[in-house]
């Protein structure tokens, strides 16, 4: 390639990066996209391909990296350049007046305050050098935190490269990583579908996500951010507000809801307004932060050991009421998990009447020492259902009854088991415990599984209770006449139900893998399994070692798959689904087997390739009978080495005597020169 051509490629790469950065900003920060998602994806694909072909133009800050790399690493501890302070909190107007008095007494002129929302997320500090993101660190203990740069790079509202040129050479900006409520709800629905414990609130979900070791998993969770504090020697303005406005121009997501106030009444108005209005925001806020605007004033006021004297957080009280705990039900979920649910004397809370509240698990019950007949405090935070947060011991009656956690399943009487590391008890009687069976059928018909929309939770219960279905496969053998025996169905609705059951036979294989409800196997894992093994039979036969070789499958999931298929009832379910005519293998056109050239071989791909993408390589490996695995081990048969291959992988492969081929040699091997 001539120098001139190379120049042109570089120009194109730079152009694509700038454009993608600009569109990312328009989409995520301004929420005013100028191009369609499709056009954006096309540009991104072009960039990814060019970067693959020309690794010499690689840049860790390229917008292509937003998808995250697959490599995982333990987090490095990093010392904060400026300690990461917290804020003094108050819930009372009186204390806010005290704060204002202290500020006024210390200054010789009246202060200007900046009122901001207090975002309920995870604090982060981002360091920029020459307009590029170089480091992202969590609060940690305030003096040192976790280096989560790789994860932060996947958050689309965090600019990787700043706009304009009037930013300081080096500075730090602090803010909050948040998970919008809609994303949180979706994530929890998925987790429940997969038999995982849902996150208690968006803050926990954001914190858990930011600490994931796999950046591409972080990218999928769609975190968001807001920035509210700048630090550096060369900030452009001598006050907080103007610097934040400048940061907005550089591409940071700065809240629209900031108010300059020259007196406390204005601050109270802001607080009052947002107490109600915040409920309409798509993310959680738990208060208002009031800051003295001028840096000169801030310096005069100084700090206490932990918090600045120039700022205070006014926190909204979580809405809480007290009521009587009447009784506790122990509910059994699809996976057999037991959840204690409190029945309360109905009480009004945050606009709705609350009759039930979660007690989470046995540990929580013990921690609260809650008894039947107690007056309990119920709170509605960012949580899905209200929860009991405490007991009013002053009102405890001597008759209050200690809550016994059941030793046996309230639905089927089986002895409960406690799994190590899990706070919940489980009913092990998977195949005869009614709520577990109904729960599994509900999962089977759900949208992302078989998508049988003519049925719902109540119909499933009716079909099961009347003995018409005992497992999900029985749905396929239902006759219209049988449905008509049930009150719920008339001719038309019965026909619709049968039709939608019939239609579901066409859903692709991976969704059947998801639908059968293997614990911890979510949609993405089902897809990987389907793609890797090609058929239900192959998945059922796979050994532990074969399973953990599949991308995204670790010890826990592998164990769960083996356990699932070792159970005769599950094997019978699969057999019945096969008889019913569901797709139990990858479709012919999806699974074109071209040759046996790689039969029985475990193949590792490493580096970047010029003729094909990694996904295409994976597909080729499968089409020629091989299996793609992610890491080099003694059982690896072949390593396809691309450009920039990691030296440790190469060394390991050499040491283990694994055959190493380049891209061209690989094509020869599969007879495609
Ligand atoms: S300013 C030195 N502004 O709340 C002052 N903090 O409870 C730095 N927070 O540590 C913080 N929204 O993690 C500031 N608008 C906002 C905020 C905010 C949320 C967090 C932050 C802080 C904590 C204090």
């Amino acid at each position: 390639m001539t120098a001139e051509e190379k120049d042109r490629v570089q120009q194109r790469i730079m152009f694509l990066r700038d454009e993608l950065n600009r569109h990312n900003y328009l989409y995520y920060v301004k929420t005013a996209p100028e191009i369609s998602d499709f056009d954006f994806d096309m540009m991104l694909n072009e960039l990814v391909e060019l970067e693959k072909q020309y690794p010499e133009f690689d840049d860790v800050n390229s917008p292509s990296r937003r998808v995250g790399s697959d490599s995982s690493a333990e987090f490095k501890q990093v010392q904060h350049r400026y300690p990461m302070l917290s804020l003094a909190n108050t819930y009372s107007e009186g204390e806010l007046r005290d704060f204002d008095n202290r500020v006024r007494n210390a200054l010789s002129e009246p202060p200007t305050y900046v009122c901001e929302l207090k975002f309920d997320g995870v604090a982060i500090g981002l360091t920029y050098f020459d307009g590029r993101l170089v480091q992202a660190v969590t609060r940690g203990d305030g003096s040192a935190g976790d280096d989560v740069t790789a994860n932060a790079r996947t958050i689309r509202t965090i600019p990787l490269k700043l706009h304009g040129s009037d930013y300081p050479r080096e500075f730090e900006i602090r803010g909050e990583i948040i998970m919008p409520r809609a994303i949180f709800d979706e994530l929890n629905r998925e987790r429940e579908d997969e038999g995982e414990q849902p996150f208690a609130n968006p803050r926990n979900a954001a914190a858990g996500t930011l600490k994931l070791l796999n950046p591409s998993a972080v990218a999928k969770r769609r975190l968001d951010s807001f920035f509210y504090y700048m630090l550096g020697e060369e900030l452009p303005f001598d006050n907080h507000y103007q610097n934040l406005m400048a940061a907005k121009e550089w591409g940071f997501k700065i809240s629209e809801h900031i108010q300059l106030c020259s007196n406390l009444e204005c601050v109270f108005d802001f607080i009052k307004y947002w107490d109600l209005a915040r409920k309409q925001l798509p993310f959680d806020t738990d208060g208002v932060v009031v800051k003295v605007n001028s840096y000169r004033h801030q310096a005069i006021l100084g700090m206490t050991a932990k918090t600045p004297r120039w700022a205070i957080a006014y926190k909204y009280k979580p809405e809480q009421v007290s009521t009587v705990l009447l009784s506790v039900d122990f509910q059994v979920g699809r996976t057999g998990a037991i959840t204690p649910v409190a029945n309360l004397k109905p009480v009004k809370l945050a606009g709705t009447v609350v009759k039930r509240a979660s007690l989470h698990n046995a540990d929580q019950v013990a921690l609260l020492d809650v008894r039947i007949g107690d007056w309990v405090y119920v709170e509605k935070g960012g949580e899905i259902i209200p929860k009991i947060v405490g007991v009013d011991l002053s009102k405890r009656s001597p008759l209050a009854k200690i809550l016994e956690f059941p030793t046996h399943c309230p639905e089927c009487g089986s002895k409960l088991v406690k799994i190590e590391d899990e706070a919940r008890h489980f009913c092990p009687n998977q195949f005869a415990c009614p709520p577990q069976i109904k729960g599994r059928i509900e999962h089977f018909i759900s949208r992302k599984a078989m998508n049988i929309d003519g049925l719902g939770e109540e119909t499933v219960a009716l079909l099961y209770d009347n003995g018409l279905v005992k497992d999900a496969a029985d749905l396929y053998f239902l006759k219209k006449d049988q449905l008509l025996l049930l009150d719920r169905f008339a001719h038309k609705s019965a026909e619709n139900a049968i039709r939608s059951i019939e239609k579901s036979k066409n859903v692709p294989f991976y969704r059947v893998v998801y639908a059968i409800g293997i614990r911890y196997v979510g949609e993405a894992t089902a897809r990987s399994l389907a793609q890797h093994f090609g058929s239900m039979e192959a998945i059922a036969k796979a050994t532990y070692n074969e399973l953990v070789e599949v991308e995204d499958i670790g010890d826990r999931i592998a164990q769960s798959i083996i356990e699932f298929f070792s159970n005769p009832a599950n094997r019978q379910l699969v057999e019945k689904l096969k008889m019913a005519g569901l797709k139990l293998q990858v479709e012919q056109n999806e699974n074109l087997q071209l040759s046996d050239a790689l039969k029985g071989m475990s193949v590792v791909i490493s580096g970047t390739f010029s003729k094909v993408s990694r996904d295409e390589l994976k597909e080729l490996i499968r089409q020629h009978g091989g299996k793609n695995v992610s890491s080099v081990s003694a059982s690896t048969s072949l390593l396809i080495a691309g450009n920039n291959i990691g030296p440790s992988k190469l060394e390991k492969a050499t040491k283990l005597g694994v055959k190493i081929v380049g891209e061209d040699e690989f094509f020869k091997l599969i007879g495609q020169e």
Side-chain angles (χ1 to χ4, degrees), residues 128-142:
Y128 284 79
F129 192 79
D130 273 345
R132 285 158 176 273
L133 172 66
V134 289
Q135 196 166 55
V137 186
T138 62
R139 177 197 306 279
D141 63 2

Side-chain angles (χ1 to χ4, degrees), residues 506-664:
N506 289 325
V507 311
F509 169 51
Y510 80 90
R511 279 178 40 194
V512 183
V513 177
Y514 173 63
I516 57 175
I518 308 171
R519 192 145 188 235
Y520 307 128
V521 173
E523 211 196 347
T525 312
R527 217 185 259 271
S528 305
L529 283 169
Q531 200 173 340
H532 189 94
F533 291 103
S535 73
M536 193 70 91
E537 211 179 325
I539 301 174
K541 272 203 229 139
T543 63
Y544 176 86
N545 284 342
E546 286 168 341
L547 286 166
V548 289
E549 275 177 7
V550 183
E551 249 177 316
D552 296 338
I553 295 190
D555 173 68
R556 192 177 63 146
I557 303 180
Q559 300 272 20
S560 165
I561 295 168
I562 289 180
E563 199 181 306
F564 183 91
F565 287 105
S566 65
N567 195 308
N570 286 330
R571 286 205 303 270
Q572 200 192 344
L573 171 82
V574 171
E575 210 40 52
K576 273 161 74 182
L577 293 177
K578 192 170 163 189
M579 268 164 47
L582 269 67
K583 296 203 158 98
L584 292 191
Q585 60 192 35
V586 177
E587 289 278 83
Q588 268 299 295
N589 52 359
E590 284 172 65
N591 190 27
L592 230 71
Q593 190 74 36
L594 298 175
S595 84
D596 277 347
L598 305 175
K599 194 168 178 194
M601 292 171 82
S602 298
V603 187
V604 174
I605 305 172
S606 183
T608 54
F609 299 89
S610 52
K611 299 200 173 95
V612 279
S613 70
R614 285 172 76 93
D615 282 342
E616 282 164 341
L617 262 185
K618 284 183 193 168
E619 188 59 15
L620 283 171
I621 294 169
R622 210 182 45 73
Q623 286 174 343
H624 292 272
K627 200 186 304 164
N628 172 231
V629 292
S630 52
S631 60
V632 175
S633 71
S635 58
T636 307
S637 334
L638 187 69
L639 171 69
I640 313 177
N643 298 319
N644 286 353
I645 175 173
S648 64
K649 244 183 196 163
L650 206 54
E651 198 187 312
K652 196 166 174 194
T654 315
K655 221 184 249 168
L656 292 169
V658 174
K659 182 170 177 188
I660 303 169
V661 294
E663 196 175 0
D664 290 339

Side-chain angles (χ1 to χ4, degrees), residues 107 109-112 292-302 310:
L107 304 176
E109 54 194 348
T112 299
V292 171
N293 189 31
S294 147
Y295 289 157
R296 195 168 56 77
H297 288 172
Q298 290 186 6
I300 295 171
L301 288 156
W310 46 262

Side-chain angles (χ1 to χ4, degrees), residues 85-87 116-119 123 139 176 228-229 289 291 308 310:
L85 298 172
S86 182
L87 291 175
E116 297 166 18
L117 297 176
K118 187 170 182 318
F119 305 101
R139 177 197 306 279
E176 210 81 354
Y228 46 63
Y229 185 39
V289 180
K291 300 171 184 172
W310 46 262

Side-chain angles (χ1 to χ4, degrees), residues 124-126 128 171-175 227 229-231 247 252 254:
I124 194 144
L126 306 179
Y128 284 79
F171 68 94
E172 184 177 339
I173 190 160
R174 291 188 179 159
F227 290 88
Y229 185 39
M230 292 198 29
L231 293 144
F252 290 102
I254 309 289

